[in-house]
Amino acid sequence: MTALTLSTAAAPGLRVDAIVVGVAKGTGPKSGDLVVAPGAEAVDKAYDGRLAGVLETLGASGGEGEVTKLPAPSGFKAPLVLAVGLGALPEKDASFSGETLRRAAGVAARALAGSKKAAFALPIEDAADAGAVGEGALLGAYSFDVYKENGKSNDSGKDAKNGKAPLAEVTLLGGKPRDKAFKAAVERATAVSEELNRARDLINTPPNDLNPEAFAAVAQAAAKEHGIKVQVLDEKALEKGGYGGILGVGVGSASAPRLVKLSYTSSKAKKHLAFVGKGITYDSGGISLKPAGHNETMKCDMSGAAAVFAAVVAASRLGLEVNVTGWLALAENMPSGSATRPGDVLRMYSGKTVEVLNTDAEGRLVLADALAKASEETPDAIVDVATLTGAMMLALGNRTFGVMANDDSFRTAVYEAAEEVGEAAWPMPLPDHLKKGMDSPTADIANMGERYGGGLVAGLFLKEFVGEGITWAHLDIAGPAFNEQGPFGYTPKGGTGSAVRTLVRLAELTASGDLG
Ligand code: BES
Ligand code: MN
Ligand code: ZN
């Protein structure tokens, strides 16, 4: 894992492989000019104040995501300066946004894969900026190569045979290392990024290695390490407890399902949050088998559970003054002679019966049981996270998750928390009239409804299993959970860790009494 520190050292004397500076596109009277961003004054001075001109000569435009490498000026111990584009220079008196800094730091960290140490001289005005740059760098430095020959090279000391080792050490310049707020920001960035990267590891782990039992074991080990109470219900306990939804999805697989409960408690807590995650370790569709072309990325169908797991551990590492319970609904959705058939009726944990019309609508079945169970503790709010519907991807694309809720102000609060941490989200409605489509002649409800608004139909199904009077929000992360395209900003290819930062922010806001 990449290390993150603050330093007041002067840039020229730093023994690092690269110094990262920011470059922006001038606006107003400077329109069209390249501007070296604050924080890089010492570097610019060493180029006799000509850094912007030199970068322009090299073709830099200051656009977001742009990387320009140049030899460090004489007198510098570091061999390389890396200029990363920040986009348009903010208006006078305004600052670069946290998300701009986070993305730029991520771009720089990715571009420096293969190097060991880098110092970031980006525009840091306050502790929050330092946290954003730190987070971006740690998230951008992520790599998943445990399945490649030689494994992680910076841990083993060897060079990775396939691809470059992630940047090992990041030093933030321009912050205040002894300032309490700056220290806390670096600690927060480290805890959140490390746990988020661990969620990415789980998502990227192939489904033959990460089945429900293996996921539960990982959660148990982490809970032990971080003083979190953990309880795992195996298939026998699930049967005894009447968890027909989780069992119905898992019954076709050779790997039995699990329900994991993680309880982080603080002696100073005044509120209790429950997070519920969809943890389908592989979604083949079951008997309603997915067609070729739709199966290849379905190891990502446990991203919701991974996000919940990461958020609970992060809340514990940060010592947040709120109780957080995480529920991981883990099952593998496979077709077999023992699998649930379209037409079967399941008796759910809540006592409701569900006619399974499509075994590929399995996420709502495992979540329904976990939501009903989580409701028994009457938490102040429940937030579930799930790669639930392809329909949400059609609606919002692959970088934005949908937020649905049974409470308008809570939906707004969740959406705003997401925006604050730099996660793209959008509020979606739960129109009552769509419920009718799930009427079943045989059971209380069917697991499928109208095709149009499929993401909202799934949300309406879940709503039926949330306890009376409990505030609830549902995040459908089917789009942003897994990046099938090239990396961008601090987001790698593959598992992204979507929703982790939103959940952590919700826990923080609840702890400080700024939510609900
Ligand atoms: N896991 C899928 C949703 C999904 C699709 C996530 C693509 C990520 C990328 C989910 O279990 C599913 O199959 N949903 C069906 C529901 C339908 C059968 C009502 C869908 O969206 O097609
Ligand atoms: Mn499915
Ligand atoms: Zn699924």
Side-chain angles (χ1 to χ4, degrees):
M1 209 51 102
T2 310
L4 179 66
T5 50
L6 285 163
S7 167
T8 50
L14 288 167
R15 288 182 196 282
V16 292
D17 300 302
I19 299 196
V20 176
V21 301
V23 60
K25 280 182 184 180
T27 46
K30 287 192 165 175
S31 179
D33 292 356
L34 209 59
V35 181
V36 176
E41 290 80 3
V43 181
D44 190 24
K45 204 177 147 205
Y47 287 106
D48 299 323
R50 294 179 49 246
L51 178 53
V54 172
L55 287 168
E56 224 154 345
T57 307
L58 291 170
S61 73
E64 276 179 40
E66 179 189 84
V67 163
T68 312
K69 291 182 180 179
L70 63 164
S74 63
F76 268 55
K77 294 251 159 64
L80 182 78
V81 167
L82 184 150
V84 62
L86 293 165
L89 195 68
E91 299 292 312
K92 209 172 156 14
D93 298 327
S95 317
F96 290 100
S97 75
E99 181 60 5
T100 297
L101 297 177
R102 204 178 282 113
R103 286 189 193 176
V107 168
R110 277 197 290 111
L112 288 169
S115 310
K116 276 214 115 137
K117 299 183 187 184
F120 284 57
L122 289 175
I124 291 177
E125 286 183 7
D126 54 22
D129 288 347
V133 172
E135 212 171 81
L138 297 187
L139 296 177
Y142 175 80
S143 81
F144 184 74
D145 54 13
V146 287
Y147 287 85
K148 301 221 182 207
E149 206 180 333
N150 284 345
K152 291 214 171 173
S153 49
N154 268 337
D155 294 343
S156 66
K158 285 184 237 156
D159 275 342
K161 204 168 187 176
N162 305 289
K164 294 169 176 171
L167 187 60
E169 286 180 42
V170 171
T171 303
L172 304 184
L173 304 180
K176 300 181 189 155
R178 270 169 287 279
D179 183 287
K180 237 170 114 185
F182 275 85
K183 272 196 205 163
V186 166
E187 261 166 46
R188 181 187 186 278
T190 303
V192 172
S193 306
E194 284 182 0
E195 295 315 318
L196 193 153
N197 282 340
R198 214 142 64 119
R200 289 172 171 176
D201 279 348
L202 285 168
I203 299 164
N204 290 329
T205 300
N208 54 334
D209 278 350
L210 193 85
N211 59 25
E213 189 184 352
F215 195 152
V218 171
Q220 264 172 324
K224 208 172 160 192
E225 185 186 338
H226 297 285
I228 297 164
K229 212 177 124 202
V230 60
Q231 192 187 2
V232 178
L233 301 190
D234 62 11
E235 65 270 35
K236 282 198 198 93
L238 290 169
E239 242 159 69
K240 225 174 134 200
Y243 293 85
I246 297 174
L247 287 166
V249 173
V251 71
S253 169
S255 307
R258 296 285 185 270
L259 177 64
V260 177
K261 178 187 185 186
L262 296 159
S263 315
Y264 162 68
T265 52
S266 159
S267 58
K268 294 190 180 141
K270 293 202 178 76
K271 299 263 178 188
H272 176 200
L273 275 182
F275 295 153
V276 175
K278 170 179 173 180
I280 301 300
T281 58
Y282 185 71
D283 182 12
S284 70
I287 297 294
S288 315
L289 195 64
K290 284 182 187 293
H294 290 78
N295 276 318
E296 295 77 359
T297 59
M298 278 305 132
K299 67 176 181 182
C300 83
D301 215 18
M302 35 56 72
S303 296
V308 166
F309 170 51
V312 176
V313 176
S316 160
R317 284 181 63 172
L318 296 171
L320 300 185
E321 297 178 355
V322 55
N323 292 339
V324 183
T325 309
W327 298 89
L328 318 180
L330 309 175
E332 186 182 46
N333 189 22
M334 295 291 274
S336 75
S338 61
T340 292
R341 318 153 189 76
D344 281 355
V345 172
L346 304 176
R347 185 170 295 279
M348 310 293 279
Y349 179 80
S350 74
K352 281 197 175 76
T353 54
V354 176
E355 184 177 14
V356 178
L357 294 180
N358 189 321
T359 62
D360 199 10
E362 84 296 339
R364 64 198 75 184
L365 298 173
V366 300
L367 286 170
D369 277 1
L371 285 168
K373 180 68 184 169
S375 296
E376 283 179 0
E377 300 186 333
T378 58
D380 293 292
I382 301 180
V383 180
D384 79 67
V385 186
T387 45
L388 206 57
T389 65
M392 197 54 60
M393 301 177 76
L394 291 176
L396 297 178
N398 52 15
R399 293 193 186 181
T400 305
F401 61 75
V403 185
M404 285 146 269
N406 60 3
D407 177 307
D408 288 348
S409 66
F410 190 58
R411 185 184 52 229
T412 303
V414 172
Y415 161 68
E416 286 176 354
E419 199 169 47
E420 207 188 321
V421 296
E423 291 207 273
W426 202 249
M428 301 294 276
L430 291 174
D432 268 335
H433 73 92
L434 287 175
K435 227 196 108 187
K436 220 178 150 21
M438 292 184 283
D439 281 353
S440 158
T442 318
D444 296 330
I445 191 169
N447 77 331
M448 252 187 76
E450 276 183 46
R451 191 164 75 87
Y452 294 124
L456 319 181
V457 171
L460 282 162
F461 181 93
L462 298 181
K463 191 175 167 214
E464 291 303 303
F465 295 86
V466 176
E468 205 50 46
I470 297 180
T471 305
W472 157 79
H474 158 58
L475 315 185
D476 190 338
I477 61 167
F482 199 80
N483 178 22
E484 291 187 60
Q485 288 158 354
F488 58 93
Y490 51 84
T491 306
K493 208 175 160 59
T496 64
S498 175
V500 171
R501 289 177 297 137
T502 297
L503 293 183
V504 172
R505 190 69 196 130
L506 285 172
E508 285 175 335
L509 290 167
T510 306
S512 60
D514 295 313
L515 189 111

